[in-house]
Amino acid sequence: NAGVTQTPKFQVLKTGQSMTLQCAQDMNHEYMSWYRQDPGMGLRLIHYSVGAGITDQGEVPNGYNVSRSTTEDFPLRLLSAAPSQTSVYFCASSLGKLRQGNSPLHFGNGTRLTVT
Amino acid sequence: GQQLNQSPQSMFIQEGEDVSMNCTSSSIFNTWLWYKQDPGEGPVLLIALYKAGELTSNGRLTAQFGITRKDSFLNISASIPSDVGIYFCAPYKSGTSYGKLTFGQGTILTVHP
C-alpha cells in the first residue's frame, strides 16, 4: 500500500517555465489537497478537491491550476514559475469530512521546488 | 478569517528535557489535531483531541484541549533525538472538509544528544 505518492522529489525551474507536480493516492480517498510549506508560515492550502471533477481554491491559489479527472490523481500545475513559488509542496488525501473516527489527513513526502 | 498562533517557533533542548508547545486561536473549535513532520517527510498525525478539557497521552506525548476550545498544548517528556522535527497544530470544526484544514506555523524542535 503506497499511500500518497508525489513526483518528482526535487525540481529546479527557471522563471517563466511551466511544470506539473504529480500526486497519486491508492486509498480510494475522496478528498485531496495541495499545500505549500515555507519557513515560519506553516502549511498553506493552495487548492483542494472533494471528489473527481470537483476542485476549489484554498488560501494561496494564484499561479497554480489543478484538475481531478480521477479519484486517484490530483496534479498541480505551475503555469509560469516565479521565484516566489520556491517552496516545498505537499499533497494530502483523506477518506471523508473531518469527524471523530474518520481517517486523518495522509500526506505525501513532498516535492522540493526551486525557481531561479 | 481565523487567527491561529503556535508557539514557540523553535526550541533547542538537551536530550532528556521536557518540551511544551501550544496553539491559540481567535475561533472556537471542537477538535484539535497535532501533527509531526520528520525531516524530509510529510506530516503524520500524533494525537487527536475531541472534547474540551480532554487530556490525552500517547507514550511520552501528552496533549490537552483547552476549556475555552480556543487553545491546545502538546507536551513531550524526556525528549530523545528522534523527537527532532516540526510539530503542527491543526484545529477544525466537525464536518469541515479536510481540504480546508488550517495548520499552525509550526514549532521546530532540535534535540541535542
Side-chain angles (χ1 to χ4, degrees):
Chain A
N1 190 344
V4 179
T5 302
Q6 289 184 239
T7 56
K9 289 188 177 181
F10 301 93
Q11 182 71 51
V12 178
L13 292 177
K14 293 187 190 302
T15 297
Q17 286 185 315
S18 62
M19 80 157 293
T20 300
L21 279 63
Q22 302 292 344
C23 176
Q25 52 91 10
D26 60 359
M27 298 173 282
N28 202 31
H29 282 174
E30 285 183 287
Y31 290 76
M32 297 186 75
S33 48
W34 277 100
Y35 290 84
R36 59 177 288 173
Q37 182 178 25
D38 303 290
M41 313 256 327
L43 294 155
R44 292 183 293 168
L45 183 65
I46 304 172
H47 286 285
Y48 67 101
S49 168
V50 300
I54 306 169
T55 64
D56 206 346
Q57 296 182 346
E59 181 185 354
V60 288
N62 293 339
Y64 308 95
N65 273 0
V66 292
S67 60
R68 185 96 179 270
S69 55
T70 67
T71 301
E72 294 78 19
D73 300 297
F74 191 43
L76 178 72
R77 296 184 189 84
L78 279 70
L79 309 172
S80 177
S84 60
Q85 293 179 304
T86 294
S87 187
V88 182
Y89 292 85
F90 287 98
C91 178
S93 74
S94 70
L95 186 59
K97 287 190 175 182
L98 293 166
R99 286 194 186 90
Q100 186 170 359
N102 273 4
S103 72
L105 202 58
H106 294 264
F107 284 86
N109 282 334
T111 294
R112 284 145 186 83
L113 176 68
T114 302
V115 183
T116 62
Chain B
Q2 71 196 39
Q3 284 189 316
L4 188 60
N5 294 308
Q6 184 172 349
S7 65
Q9 280 194 325
S10 61
M11 303 182 75
F12 298 84
I13 61 169
Q14 292 292 128
E15 183 175 359
E17 290 183 354
D18 296 342
V19 171
S20 184
M21 60 192 79
N22 68 84
C23 278
T24 59
S25 172
S26 57
S27 300
I28 290 174
F29 297 99
N30 52 22
T31 300
W32 282 85
L33 305 176
W34 283 92
Y35 279 81
K36 183 198 176 192
Q37 182 182 20
D38 287 327
E41 298 185 9
V44 173
L45 183 68
L46 288 177
I47 283 182
L49 302 157
Y50 299 106
K51 190 176 175 183
E54 178 182 358
L55 185 72
T56 295
S57 293
N58 179 3
R60 293 178 297 106
L61 304 177
T62 301
Q64 184 157 28
F65 190 153
I67 289 292
T68 66
R69 295 198 283 158
K70 292 183 178 182
D71 60 351
S72 176
F73 72 75
L74 176 70
N75 286 348
I76 306 173
S77 62
S79 60
I80 58 178
S82 62
D83 290 333
V84 162
I86 306 176
Y87 293 79
F88 295 100
C89 64
Y92 68 82
K93 297 177 184 177
S94 186
T96 302
S97 163
Y98 260 121
K100 301 186 80 172
L101 193 61
T102 299
F103 289 81
Q105 302 95 328
T107 296
I108 302 171
L109 179 63
T110 303
V111 180
H112 294 289

